[in-house]
Amino acid sequence: MVLTASTMLPLGTQAPGFHLPEVVSGKTISLDTFADKKALLIMFICQHCPFVKHIKTELAQLGKDYFNSDLGILAISANDAEKYPDDGPESLKAMAIELDFKFPLCYDQIQETAKAYTAACTPDFFLFNAQRQLAYRGQLDDSRPSNNQPVTGADLRSAIAAVLAGQPIKIEQKPSIGCNIKWKPGNEPSYFG
């Protein structure tokens, strides 16, 4: 495991397009899937990372809390499933069902979507406004697996509330911290390492 921080993609960046298979339904998910939503949260997660395991209940709760709202939510896993079988589509499907995710979980097999978003770690969060411009990127909250701080989702929830209300985000945007995305050999992006 390499402790890795978010790249902190510049605010205002337009959401890159993608077409990815959803691991539970098999349906193809794209930006158009969320066309009717005022905001879109894209989370890069995986199954095996201790940082994701630490917050998985809060991720599931976010999905439940915003299920019938103007926020679209998508989770994506991009880890190399050959070296990390727990992060392959079948294991991701089991995780989504077990946690009762109310949002799609996709698998980015060729890792191009992760690269397009400059996703660096799991978890990594990207919140876009109605024009699909990046409004927030960074941490869920101050909790980490070993710091005894409660998992509240405070930073991300505050950003979501602001974007949905059409207000500026007033909190400091701190990078997310987690395990590095497990890039396939030879496929590492220029910002890795």
Side-chain angles (χ1 to χ4, degrees), residues 171-185:
I171 57 165
E172 178 189 352
Q173 298 194 22
K174 301 176 189 171
S176 187
I177 304 270
C179 301
N180 65 290
I181 288 181
K182 307 308 184 212
W183 303 103
K184 293 179 180 181

Side-chain angles (χ1 to χ4, degrees), residues 63-141:
K64 293 175 177 77
D65 291 348
Y66 290 99
F67 183 62
N68 286 313
S69 76
D70 283 331
L71 175 70
I73 301 177
L74 171 64
I76 299 172
S77 179
N79 281 356
D80 179 358
E82 285 186 30
K83 287 193 174 176
Y84 298 88
D86 282 352
D87 295 336
E90 285 305 311
S91 293
L92 294 171
K93 178 179 179 179
M95 177 177 84
I97 292 169
E98 175 195 342
L99 294 171
D100 192 26
F101 281 170
K102 300 298 184 193
F103 47 80
L105 172 56
C106 292
Y107 183 59
D108 179 16
Q109 182 172 359
I110 62 171
Q111 303 181 316
E112 289 304 313
T113 301
K115 285 182 178 180
Y117 282 79
T118 67
C121 56
T122 53
D124 212 348
F125 301 96
F126 299 84
L127 178 65
F128 296 89
N129 63 20
Q131 293 76 41
R132 297 303 179 254
Q133 296 165 327
L134 187 63
Y136 177 84
R137 71 286 191 251
Q139 68 178 12
L140 178 74
D141 57 32

Side-chain angles (χ1 to χ4, degrees), residues 152-168:
T152 63
D155 291 41
L156 183 58
R157 285 178 179 271
S158 175
I160 290 168
V163 170
L164 289 177
Q167 301 294 320

